[in-house]
Amino acid sequence: MEHFYEKHRSDWAENHSGCSGAWMHWAYDYSIDTKRMASMTDFPYVAADRACNMASEANAMVKADVTGITWYKGSDTLLAEGVAEGVVTVSLQVVDTFSQYREGIYSCEGTCDCSGQLNHAVTMVGYTSEYWNVRNSWGVNWGDGGYIKMTRAQNNICGVNAYAQAPALTCKPGQTCDGWENGDEEEEEEEEQEEEEEEGFDIGSDVICGEIQHFGGLCVDMDETSEMNTVLTSAGCSREFCYTTKGYVKDKATGKCLTVSDPSMYDDKVKFGSCKGAYTWDTTEKGFKIKAGEGFCWHPHGGLESPAEDTNIVIWSGCEEDRLTFQIKDTLCWEEYAGQKLGKKMKTADGKKLKSKKLDKAKNECMETKGCKGIYNNGKVFLLSSGKKLKPSKTTHSAFQVVPCKESCDSGTMKCEDGECREKCGEEEEEEEEKEEEEEEAEGDCPGGTIRCSDGVCRHEHMCH
């Protein structure tokens, strides 16, 4: 039908079928092409075939123009999204039981079969968890005051979502149209506010980062729906996740955290969502277990031993089953080295050292900066360009390096100069290292190749004497 629609878009001008019925989008096409539409008062329905001669009537499209068609067809979920935005036009297969409707929630049962060809257009004006609220065109003496409540228990009842559509509207210059441009601006402001709140929400520092891989080789990715469900795919193995100290699983690309709607419900889908409202997880030898409800673990939908591509990830019992394992592949950890310095401080193109006021922020910047191998903290936090360990400094100083988790020290310990992991390392000082520290501090933010002289001015070293 889409091909027919594109090919015969001008049919409204030649043959709109009159009392024999027609497709809803022909009215939209007329308004798109003519930039106008008469009101019902000026051009009323007269139950008789006649020419489409609205040109002499006033244009009722005062604030906005119809500029396209928005489709909500293919699923009840999409249809609900459309009705939440406004009135949606739908096509139905009308049968005798539909025509005889008077009250209550209508369902097609027994000998009723409303799965045939679509033959009637109506408008959907709302819905509840139990029914669609549909406005018919047969007058207030039909049905429930001109309306019918169609059950949602039957998916796509009478083809209700097969051809659902609404006009796409664009506000005219100089007009105010709540719900279109203005509505979009308000939505953007709300999103910005949510982002600000998200930035201020502490999910902890990264513990391990990498792809999350099912034992069968497929990786965790996001599907293409608005629900942002997690799926298994062979094409998503470049997506990187981080498990944090507070138990969140964060997607680095979007900043979203993996969570569920109801942690006590079997088969609830794992989704990408706001970290602020997300449930947290424990890591196990087999994967990830939710820290709420029943403590279900990640599973491929259906519990398949060899899941197919695009299989949803859900929560289910059975956290010790090998075939349900989800683990971060090639995991990396931040390891602390007491009294050590690793490599040289990184600099920008203009010679300024890359540094940060906060350790966690520096870790994130290092992970995102090409060439960064670690971090050095001596009261100020610097990014480092190599992982080469240099002479020890004061034990109050420390360095952090990204290493494979299997090679790192346990939580609460640090790598000492002798290579052993302990809670505390012995104090070791060397004058040469302290002198180097003092010289680097004296350099401050002077341009490359210069130092800050005793008078506070940056010059080449030989010019300071």
Side-chain angles (χ1 to χ4, degrees):
M1 181 52 65
E2 285 183 325
H3 175 71
F4 176 88
Y5 159 58
E6 293 297 335
K7 185 176 180 182
H8 299 281
R9 178 173 170 177
S10 63
D11 277 3
W12 60 262
E14 299 176 4
N15 177 23
H16 56 79
S17 298
C19 293
S20 299
W23 290 106
M24 304 89 77
H25 60 251
W26 289 357
Y28 305 154
D29 291 341
Y30 172 86
S31 189
I32 292 170
D33 290 348
T34 63
K35 302 295 184 187
R36 66 189 325 280
M37 181 68 76
S39 68
M40 188 72 175
T41 301
D42 293 336
F43 197 77
Y45 175 66
V46 295
D49 287 345
R50 59 174 172 170
C52 189
N53 56 355
M54 287 188 251
S56 61
E57 307 297 339
N59 183 16
M61 303 296 293
V62 176
K63 288 197 168 187
D65 289 320
V66 179
T67 54
I69 297 175
T70 302
W71 296 93
Y72 298 105
K73 61 182 181 178
S75 76
D76 282 3
T77 300
L78 283 176
L79 179 55
E81 291 176 4
V83 180
E85 292 290 328
V87 175
V88 175
T89 306
V90 298
S91 296
L92 301 175
Q93 163 64 20
V94 170
V95 294
D96 289 342
T97 55
F98 181 96
S99 304
Q100 296 161 7
Y101 169 80
R102 289 294 177 267
E103 60 183 0
I105 299 178
Y106 173 80
S107 61
C108 194
E109 298 175 348
T111 59
C112 172
D113 180 9
C114 61
S115 61
Q117 186 175 358
L118 305 176
N119 59 14
H120 186 52
V122 292
T123 51
M124 187 173 292
V125 297
Y127 66 91
T128 71
S129 60
E130 297 180 341
Y131 63 83
W132 303 109
N133 193 19
V134 176
R135 182 176 63 205
N136 202 356
S137 58
W138 294 347
V140 296
N141 294 323
W142 174 85
D144 189 356
Y147 292 77
I148 179 172
K149 297 179 176 69
M150 302 185 71
T151 182
R152 295 186 65 189
Q154 291 177 273
N155 184 57
N156 195 27
I157 181 172
C158 295
V160 71
N161 73 43
Y163 212 62
Q165 59 188 268
L169 300 170
T170 299
C171 196
K172 292 183 178 182
Q175 296 290 339
T176 300
C177 307
D178 292 338
W180 302 306
E181 284 89 350
N182 294 67
D184 291 342
E185 290 169 7
E186 291 174 4
E187 186 175 334
E188 288 174 4
E189 289 177 2
E190 290 176 1
E191 289 177 355
E192 289 175 3
Q193 184 176 353
E194 289 177 1
E195 288 175 1
E196 290 175 2
E197 292 176 354
E198 193 85 2
E199 288 177 2
F201 181 69
D202 182 20
I203 63 172
S205 56
D206 297 342
V207 177
I208 52 178
C209 294
E211 304 103 6
I212 299 179
Q213 188 176 47
H214 184 255
F215 87 102
L218 298 178
C219 292
V220 174
D221 199 5
M222 183 192 298
D223 68 8
E224 297 181 356
T225 69
S226 59
E227 295 179 348
M228 294 191 291
N229 299 313
T230 55
V231 292
L232 288 173
T233 175
S234 60
C237 292
S238 60
R239 186 179 288 277
E240 187 174 15
F241 297 86
C242 289
Y243 182 77
T244 74
T245 53
K246 293 192 174 182
Y248 292 91
V249 180
K250 177 188 69 177
D251 173 44
K252 293 195 71 173
T254 63
K256 301 288 186 182
C257 287
L258 299 191
T259 186
V260 296
S261 300
D262 185 351
S264 63
M265 184 173 70
Y266 283 92
D267 221 22
D268 197 20
K269 293 179 182 177
V270 179
K271 303 173 181 288
F272 291 74
S274 168
C275 293
K276 190 171 183 180
Y279 290 100
T280 54
W281 309 84
D282 281 324
T283 56
T284 73
E285 290 184 359
K286 308 299 181 184
F288 299 93
K289 180 173 68 174
I290 199 160
K291 288 184 181 177
E294 302 296 325
F296 299 143
C297 280
W298 290 10
H299 291 237
H301 177 64
L304 303 175
E305 199 164 330
S306 299
E309 293 230 13
D310 297 326
T311 297
N312 284 121
I313 298 167
V314 301
I315 54 171
W316 201 267
S317 59
C319 294
E320 303 306 315
E321 299 178 26
D322 288 335
R323 66 189 179 89
L324 304 178
T325 299
F326 288 87
Q327 294 178 333
I328 294 183
K329 181 184 177 185
D330 298 328
T331 55
L332 299 174
C333 291
W334 282 103
E335 184 167 65
E336 181 179 359
Y337 293 79
Q340 296 282 347
K341 180 181 177 184
L342 305 177
K344 297 181 179 180
K345 296 184 177 79
M346 298 186 71
K347 296 182 179 181
T348 61
D350 57 3
K352 292 184 178 180
K353 297 183 181 69
L354 285 173
K355 58 184 178 181
S356 179
K357 293 182 180 179
K358 295 183 179 181
L359 181 61
D360 287 343
K361 185 177 180 181
K363 288 180 178 179
N364 290 335
E365 289 176 350
C366 181
M367 295 294 286
E368 296 171 2
T369 303
K370 186 177 181 180
C372 183
K373 302 296 182 181
I375 296 169
Y376 179 53
N377 184 9
N378 64 346
K380 298 178 182 179
V381 188
F382 296 89
L383 275 60
L384 304 174
S385 61
S386 77
K388 182 181 178 182
K389 286 183 285 188
L390 303 180
K391 297 176 181 179
S393 180
K394 297 178 182 179
T395 54
T396 54
H397 298 175
S398 58
F400 296 82
Q401 186 178 8
V402 178
V403 298
C405 290
K406 60 185 178 182
E407 300 176 10
S408 67
C409 294
D410 294 334
S411 177
T413 66
M414 64 183 73
K415 187 78 60 99
C416 298
E417 196 220 339
D418 59 5
E420 297 296 322
C421 297
R422 293 191 289 271
E423 291 184 5
K424 293 183 179 179
C425 299
E427 182 176 352
E428 293 185 64
E429 297 181 333
E430 289 197 9
E431 292 182 2
E432 185 177 345
E433 180 67 12
E434 286 186 353
K435 183 178 179 180
E436 181 182 341
E437 294 282 340
E438 293 171 358
E439 288 176 352
E440 289 185 355
E441 289 294 327
E443 287 179 15
D445 293 328
C446 289
T450 67
I451 64 171
R452 191 172 299 280
C453 301
S454 58
D455 59 2
V457 179
C458 295
R459 301 188 184 94
H460 291 289
E461 185 175 1
H462 70 277
M463 297 177 67
C464 288
H465 305 294

